[in-house]
């Protein structure tokens, strides 16, 4: 079972000084720029432009703070906590912070190769949530444990991630909210 600890992720400052990004996971490495998809957490501390990712699609989910106001190619879109928003990664995007700093979960995929999805679910102590191959689960709030199906388990801290597997499918139980990110091959 692969667990990625938030405390071990290095924050990389944005070029425009408006925030930092912590990469959780990316793949595959055979793409020209080193990745075909990327899952990360970003802290947005200043209004301003987002980096453009031409040829990519983004799914952004506010996970801390209340509201991020995006202008995507001139069209304003309020993005509320735990409500994923999909948009063109190459679009001119500007953010304002009407309620203060926010943290968001980003899923960025090369449009021609992958399709990314994000959903936020409430987890339960009574029913384990499986994390399959092609998925990453991130604990957003609460207390949770990841089990490997063979008796091994690990407590999760806030923003810790569990990488899915079909060989020994990890399962998450607890109380709180979990972001489940799925990366699928793009269909023709």
């Amino acid at each position: 079972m692969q667990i990625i600890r938030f405390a071990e992720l290095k924050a990389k400052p944005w070029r425009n000084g408006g925030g930092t990004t912590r990469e959780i996971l990316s793949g595959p490495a055979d793409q020209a720029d080193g990745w075909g998809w990327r899952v990360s957490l970003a802290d947005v501390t200043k209004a301003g432009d987002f980096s453009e990712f031409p040829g990519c699609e983004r799914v952004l989910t506010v996970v801390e703070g209340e509201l991020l106001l995006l202008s995507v190619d001139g069209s304003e879109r309020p993005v509320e906590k735990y409500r994923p928003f999909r948009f063109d990664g190459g679009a001119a995007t500007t953010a304002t912070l009407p309620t203060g700093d926010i943290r968001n979960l980003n899923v960025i995929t090369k449009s021609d190769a992958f399709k990314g999805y994000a959903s936020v679910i409430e987890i339960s102590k009574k029913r384990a949530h499986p994390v399959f191959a092609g998925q990453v689960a991130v604990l957003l709030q609460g207390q949770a444990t990841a089990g490997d199906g063979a008796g091994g388990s690990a407590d999760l801290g806030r923003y810790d991630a569990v990488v899915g597997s079909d060989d020994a499918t990890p399962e998450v139980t607890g109380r709180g909210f979990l972001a489940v990110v799925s990366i699928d091959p793009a269909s023709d």
Side-chain angles (χ1 to χ4, degrees):
M1 178 170 58
Q2 182 182 0
I3 296 176
I4 299 168
R5 300 289 182 186
F6 177 74
E8 296 172 6
L9 300 176
K10 298 205 183 317
K12 297 177 184 170
W14 295 355
R15 287 177 290 210
N16 69 5
T20 59
T21 297
R22 290 174 176 86
E23 184 175 301
I24 296 172
L25 197 61
S26 64
D30 61 344
Q31 299 289 319
D33 60 3
W35 58 272
W37 56 265
R38 185 174 84 179
V39 178
S40 63
L41 286 164
D43 292 317
V44 184
T45 57
K46 190 165 89 174
D49 296 336
F50 274 27
S51 296
E52 292 181 18
F53 290 93
C56 294
E57 186 174 62
R58 294 176 80 152
V59 179
L60 182 147
T61 307
V62 173
V63 297
E64 191 172 317
E66 294 305 314
L67 179 68
L68 177 67
L69 187 58
L70 291 181
S71 174
V72 180
D73 278 342
S75 177
E76 283 199 355
R77 171 66 187 236
V79 182
E80 297 174 322
K81 187 174 185 176
Y82 293 172
R83 295 180 181 253
F85 173 59
R86 179 181 304 277
F87 61 102
D88 179 353
T93 304
T94 303
T96 56
L97 306 166
T99 60
D101 296 352
I102 63 106
R103 176 171 284 158
N104 63 63
L105 177 70
N106 282 299
V107 180
I108 304 174
T109 55
K110 301 281 182 165
S111 301
D112 62 344
F114 299 97
K115 185 81 171 177
Y117 302 90
S119 59
V120 176
I121 63 166
E122 188 170 0
I123 54 175
S124 166
K125 288 184 177 182
K126 294 181 181 180
R127 181 175 296 166
H129 185 81
V131 186
F132 298 109
Q135 293 184 326
V136 179
V138 181
L139 180 64
L140 301 180
Q141 179 181 326
Q143 296 180 333
T145 301
D148 64 7
S153 67
D155 289 337
L156 300 176
R158 190 169 193 193
Y159 303 122
D160 286 349
V162 179
V163 179
S165 169
D166 283 340
D167 297 330
T169 303
E171 296 182 330
V172 179
T173 58
R175 291 270 186 237
F177 292 93
L178 189 70
V180 180
V181 173
S182 299
I183 306 293
D184 294 337
S187 56
D188 295 320

